[in-house]
Amino acid sequence: MSDTNRELMSGVDHAWLRMESPQNHMMIGLVFIFEDKVDLNRLHQIIQTRLINKFDRFSQKIVHENGKDYWQKDPYFSLENHVISTGFPHDGDKHTLQEVASKIISTPLDFDKPLWCVHEIGHYQTGSALVIRIHHCIADGMSLVRLIMSLTDDTADASTELCISKPTGGAGTNHHESLRDLISHPSHMIETALHGLSGAEELAAITLRSGDPETSLQGHLSGHKTAAWADPFPLADVKRIGKKFNATVNDVLMAAATGVLRTHLLRQGEIVTSDKTIHAAVPFNLRPVDSPIDELGNQFGLVLVPLPIGIDNPLTRLKNVKAGMEKLKHSYQAHVFFFLLQLLGKGPSILEQTALDLLSKKASVVMTNVPGPKKPLYLAGAKLAQPLAWVPQSGNIGIGLSILSYNDTVQFGFIADTNLISDASGITELFIQEFHNLETLIDQNTATTTKGI
C-alpha cells in the first residue's frame, strides 16, 4: 500500500501501544453521567461531525508491516461498531453503574478496528450515562479528556454542527513554555536536557532512585478492574483550605489522597512508619496551556510525586506534599520521561519492557488531576452532571486515582486491580472522610489562632 495512505507511529505513541498487556490495558476510561437522557441520533451526529470528520485517528486502525506499526484508514469503518447502546431494565443505581463501568473498562479494545468505543447506558437514574474507552496510543489522557469535553455545548439545544473549542485548563506552566519545541523536535531533548546539568541530574535521579517500599498497594495483577467514584463536592471548599496554607488545589487534594492510602494500609494491618513515603506517577501536560486540541498524539511527561503516608497529622502532611510539589514544578523530570518514551518506542520491545519494569517499581499508584470547565455543559441535549476519567496504569502498577474539576465541583474517582483492592467504593468514601477531616482541623486551627489573638 502507498505510504501516502498510512502514517508511521511516533516513538511515544508506539511506546504506549507496546505497553498493552493482559493485566493492564492501555486505555483512558471515562464515565459521563447525565441528568437527562442522551438523544442517540444527535450523539451519533455529533461524534461523526466533531470527532470522526476532524481527526483521522478515530477512523484509522493499526497495521504492522516489516517490524513497524502504522496508522491506516479502516476500509470497513462503521460508527455503529464504536457507539454501542445498552441499558438497565429499570432505573439503575450508582452501584450498578459502577459494576458495569468496571467490566467495560476491564475489557480490551478490538485491535482489528480503530481503538475506541462509546457505550451508551440508558435508564440510569433519571438520565443516562456514557462509558468511553480510548487507547493511550491515540493521545494522552489529559488531551483526550479535553477533546471529549469539546464535543459538548453550552446549551441543550445547540446545533449539531457547532463545534466550539473549549480550553479546559492546562496542567502546564509558564516555566515550561520555552521547552514546548521538544515535542516537535525530540532530538532537542538531548541538547537541552541531557547536555544540561539539570536534565542529566534528573535522568540519573530517575534511573538510580530506589523502588517504593513494599505494601499491599503492589502485587500480582489479575487484569480485572474495580472502579468507583464519590459524589461531587464544592471546589470552593478545597480553595478555602488552600488559601489558609498558601497551597494549590492540587496540593490539598494530593494531601487528602495521601491520607486515604495511609488509612487503607493501616486498616489492612500494615505497619506504616513515620518516615514511610511512596510515590504517585502523575502525568504532566507538555502542550501549550489553554490551547485547543488541533492534533492528537502523546504530548506529556511524568513526574514522581512523593506521598508521605508515614505522616499522621493531616496538616503536616499537607505542608509536606506542598513542598514536594513545589520542588517538582522547577524540575525537568517530565521532559526526561518524555524523552525516554521516545527512545523506548523506537527501540527493541525487550528494551522497552525492561525499562518499564524498572520504572514502574518507582511508583505505587498513578494519579491525575485535570482542571475542567467551570460551567455546566450539555451533550446531545442532556445536561452533564458528573464527568470522570482514569488513565491506564502501566507496568506493574495496578491502582489509579483521578481528580477532575467541573462546574465548580470536584470529582474523585478510584480504580484498582481487584487483586490489590476489591472494594473501590470504600476508597472513595474514605477520600470524602479524609477531606472532611482536613477541613475540620483547618477550622480548629483557625479558631485557636483567632482566640489566641
Side-chain angles (χ1 to χ4, degrees):
M1 179 170 287
S2 171
D3 287 345
T4 59
N5 295 321
R6 64 187 183 186
E7 176 188 349
L8 183 65
M9 294 189 75
S10 72
V12 175
D13 296 347
H14 194 232
W16 284 103
L17 173 66
R18 294 199 306 201
M19 288 185 210
E20 178 80 16
S21 73
Q23 292 75 35
N24 269 329
H25 305 303
M26 293 297 102
M27 302 180 298
I28 287 86
L30 302 100
V31 174
F32 279 17
I33 299 171
F34 298 90
E35 292 182 4
D36 321 290
K37 297 188 185 300
V38 170
D39 183 324
L40 278 177
N41 289 331
R42 286 182 63 183
L43 179 63
H44 278 244
Q45 293 170 9
I46 288 170
I47 291 176
Q48 182 66 52
T49 303
R50 305 183 187 180
L51 200 65
I52 309 301
N53 294 351
K54 187 174 181 180
F55 298 98
D56 292 340
R57 202 66 85 233
F58 287 91
S59 59
Q60 293 174 324
K61 65 178 183 177
I62 296 173
V63 294
H64 185 81
E65 186 175 314
N66 297 326
K68 296 181 179 181
D69 288 295
Y70 299 86
W71 295 106
Q72 182 175 297
K73 177 73 175 181
D74 180 4
Y76 305 107
F77 175 78
S78 171
L79 191 58
E80 284 69 26
N81 290 331
H82 297 269
V83 182
I84 301 168
S85 182
T86 58
F88 301 129
H90 50 79
D91 292 342
D93 59 13
K94 181 179 178 181
H95 176 73
T96 305
L97 180 59
Q98 288 178 158
E99 285 188 335
V100 170
S102 298
K103 290 178 181 178
I104 292 174
I105 294 173
S106 299
T107 305
L109 290 160
D110 184 351
F111 278 76
D112 289 329
K113 297 181 176 67
L115 296 176
W116 64 278
C117 192
V118 177
H119 295 258
E120 187 274 337
I121 300 173
H123 304 294
Y124 175 64
Q125 296 181 347
T126 61
S128 55
L130 298 181
V131 181
I132 305 169
R133 294 174 296 154
I134 308 175
H135 203 281
H136 208 311
C137 67
I138 291 179
D140 56 84
M142 289 175 285
S143 299
L144 288 173
V145 171
R146 293 176 60 196
L147 180 63
I148 298 301
M149 285 289 194
S150 73
L151 303 181
T152 61
D153 299 297
D154 296 332
T155 62
D157 56 355
S159 168
T160 300
E161 298 297 324
L162 182 64
C163 185
I164 301 174
S165 295
K166 298 183 183 67
T168 61
T173 67
N174 290 332
H175 169 68
H176 296 274
E177 285 296 322
S178 62
L179 301 174
R180 303 292 182 191
D181 74 315
L182 297 177
I183 304 299
S184 302
H185 307 284
S187 61
H188 292 188
M189 178 67 77
I190 301 175
E191 303 166 15
T192 304
L194 296 185
H195 287 183
L197 181 60
S198 297
E201 288 176 343
E202 290 289 357
L203 180 60
I206 291 170
T207 54
L208 298 177
R209 182 196 302 270
S210 59
D212 267 7
E214 290 187 9
T215 68
S216 61
L217 301 176
Q218 307 151 332
H220 176 73
L221 305 180
S222 67
H224 299 289
K225 305 286 187 179
T226 174
W229 50 88
D231 291 334
F233 58 96
L235 180 60
D237 291 349
V238 185
K239 291 181 177 180
R240 183 173 64 87
I241 295 174
K243 187 176 181 180
K244 296 289 185 181
F245 280 83
N246 193 29
T248 66
V249 167
N250 199 29
D251 296 336
V252 174
L253 296 173
M254 279 280 189
T258 304
V260 169
L261 297 175
R262 170 187 168 81
T263 302
H264 169 74
L265 291 175
L266 290 173
R267 289 182 177 180
Q268 298 301 305
E270 297 190 40
I271 298 174
V272 181
T273 57
S274 61
D275 61 343
K276 200 162 199 172
T277 296
I278 60 174
H279 293 81
V282 178
F284 188 98
N285 182 34
L286 294 177
R287 292 178 187 266
V289 179
D290 288 341
S291 67
I293 305 298
D294 293 323
E295 61 180 24
L296 300 179
N298 284 277
Q299 299 186 16
F300 79 105
L302 290 171
V303 292
L304 296 175
V305 178
L307 304 180
I309 59 173
I311 298 177
D312 179 44
N313 186 291
L315 301 185
T316 306
R317 194 187 304 135
L318 172 56
K319 293 177 182 178
N320 194 290
V321 168
K322 178 180 180 295
M325 291 294 292
E326 192 64 32
K327 183 178 180 180
L328 284 171
K329 288 176 185 176
H330 301 285
S331 79
Y332 285 83
Q333 194 175 114
H335 302 83
V336 171
F337 265 111
F338 179 84
F339 170 68
L340 287 175
L341 286 176
Q342 279 279 17
L343 286 183
L344 294 172
K346 294 180 179 180
S349 178
I350 186 64
L351 174 62
E352 178 181 346
Q353 189 57 52
T354 301
L356 286 175
D357 289 343
L358 175 67
L359 293 174
S360 67
K361 292 178 181 178
K362 302 181 186 300
S364 298
V365 301
V366 174
M367 187 168 180
T368 57
N369 186 354
V370 180
K374 298 179 180 180
K375 57 187 177 181
L377 299 174
Y378 298 80
L379 178 61
K383 184 178 181 180
L384 178 61
Q386 187 174 21
L388 300 132
W390 296 270
V391 298
Q393 302 83 57
S394 59
N396 298 315
I397 301 176
I399 295 175
L401 298 86
S402 167
I403 296 169
L404 194 154
S405 61
Y406 166 69
N407 193 23
D408 288 329
T409 63
V410 175
Q411 338 296 314
F412 175 76
F414 184 81
I415 191 167
D417 189 282
T418 55
N419 268 7
L420 302 181
I421 296 177
S422 59
D423 180 20
S425 60
I427 298 294
T428 59
E429 293 169 4
L430 189 55
F431 181 86
I432 298 299
Q433 178 183 321
E434 288 288 335
F435 180 75
H436 288 327
N437 288 344
L438 188 57
E439 271 191 306
T440 300
L441 285 172
I442 289 286
D443 292 339
Q444 290 175 348
N445 185 68
T446 302
T448 301
T449 303
T450 304
K451 185 177 180 179
I453 295 174

